[in-house]
Amino acid sequence: MGERDLMGGFAKGLKVIEAFGPERQRLSITEAAEISGLDRATARRCLLTLADQGYADYDGKFFALTPKVLRLGHAWLSATPLPILLQPHLDQLSEIVGHSASASVLDGTEVVYIARASQKRVMSINLMPGSRLPAYSASMGRVLLAALSDTDVATILDASVLKAHTVHTLTEKSALMAEIARVRSQGYAVIDQELEIGLCSIAVPVRNERGRVVAAINVGAPAAVLPASELGLHCLGPMQALQARLRTMLA
């Protein structure tokens, strides 16, 4: 594929969209340029185009994405059967274990939620399909990273901002590499209050019939109700049963 086959303007527009996030819901032209790595004039044209097409609001100083942007993500969600296939199984798993269950895929340094069955809200952030979490500190992220080679894991960790969400968060690359190797060996990951105090979770990979990891599923619970040390005993059996069923269903 040559450069003449690519649309540079479209790629720049996508960079500007990706500059927005949970902590960056409103951006000035200067801020969008800095985050996206584009020059100010290019960022301005991209933002004004998004506003003109209804994908952003502009109050004269700040831009904010509109719900129309969800159409872009919905196109992928609706084009793949995986979220639709997983949802009823997550609903059943959530009922069996009595806690919220989710599914996600890996996107760069983050996991993206593609389906969720919520019993009760256990995190301060509201997780839903399309939500993102850093892969290094999420149970599903570690399961998905464990499916990669050590070289690929190291590359992703190098590209990640390894910050401590809580006092329990692993942030040292060597410690994370060792933990991911352990997850790879045992076949599941447990997170004990690394993303948020009071939250623990357990995750397993979802494999297709050829054995390739295509997603991850997890169960999240309040640590005061179901501590990390008891997650395996309470949840791993139903999760592995679901894991086996899904493998026969995924071509």
Side-chain angles (χ1 to χ4, degrees):
M1 184 183 297
E3 290 188 4
R4 289 187 299 178
D5 296 317
L6 306 179
M7 295 181 63
F10 184 63
K12 291 171 183 176
L14 293 174
K15 285 185 176 181
V16 170
I17 291 176
E18 292 176 350
F20 292 88
E23 299 177 358
R24 303 188 302 270
Q25 297 183 13
R26 298 171 71 247
L27 294 177
S28 66
I29 293 172
T30 300
E31 291 169 336
E34 290 176 352
I35 296 169
S36 64
L38 301 173
D39 61 74
R40 192 178 186 282
T42 300
R44 176 179 177 274
R45 290 196 299 273
C46 290
L47 288 166
L48 290 175
T49 300
L50 288 171
D52 179 72
Q53 296 298 309
Y55 289 100
D57 285 328
Y58 180 42
D59 64 7
K61 182 177 181 180
F62 293 102
F63 290 83
L65 297 180
T66 68
K68 188 176 180 180
V69 171
L70 293 174
R71 295 184 185 180
L72 304 178
H74 180 72
W76 179 82
L77 287 171
S78 61
T80 176
L82 192 57
I84 297 173
L85 184 150
L86 290 176
Q87 189 61 57
H89 295 282
L90 288 180
D91 292 338
Q92 184 182 43
L93 175 63
S94 180
E95 288 297 322
I96 291 172
V97 300
H99 297 283
S100 298
S102 306
S104 71
V105 295
L106 187 66
D107 182 20
T109 63
E110 299 175 311
V111 293
V112 182
Y113 279 64
I114 60 172
R116 181 164 169 79
S118 181
Q119 285 281 326
K120 61 178 69 175
R121 185 167 169 177
V122 295
M123 295 187 71
S124 62
I125 58 175
N126 187 22
L127 294 174
M128 62 188 70
S131 295
R132 292 172 174 266
L133 291 175
Y136 74 92
S137 57
S139 60
M140 289 190 287
R142 290 184 184 170
V143 160
L144 292 167
L145 289 174
L148 306 177
S149 68
D150 283 342
T151 299
D152 289 338
V153 173
T155 298
I156 291 174
L157 293 180
D158 286 338
S160 303
V161 180
L162 303 178
K163 68 177 183 179
H165 308 290
T166 76
V167 295
H168 304 290
T169 310
L170 290 182
T171 57
E172 292 293 330
K173 181 181 175 182
S174 59
L176 285 165
M177 292 291 294
E179 177 61 19
I180 290 167
R182 189 165 74 93
V183 170
R184 185 182 295 126
S185 175
Q186 67 186 14
Y188 64 93
V190 173
I191 295 292
D192 187 5
Q193 304 183 77
E194 291 192 48
L195 270 172
E196 185 170 305
I197 292 295
L199 172 72
C200 57
S201 65
I202 183 171
V204 298
V206 174
R207 300 179 185 274
N208 63 17
E209 61 182 8
R210 297 182 180 179
R212 186 172 70 88
V213 174
V214 296
I217 55 175
N218 87 338
V219 171
V225 176
L226 185 62
S229 60
E230 298 179 15
L231 277 173
L233 181 64
H234 185 75
C235 302
L236 193 55
M239 294 179 75
Q240 289 176 331
L242 172 56
Q243 187 184 40
R245 289 198 304 273
L246 290 173
R247 184 163 182 167
T248 65
M249 299 170 62
L250 295 172

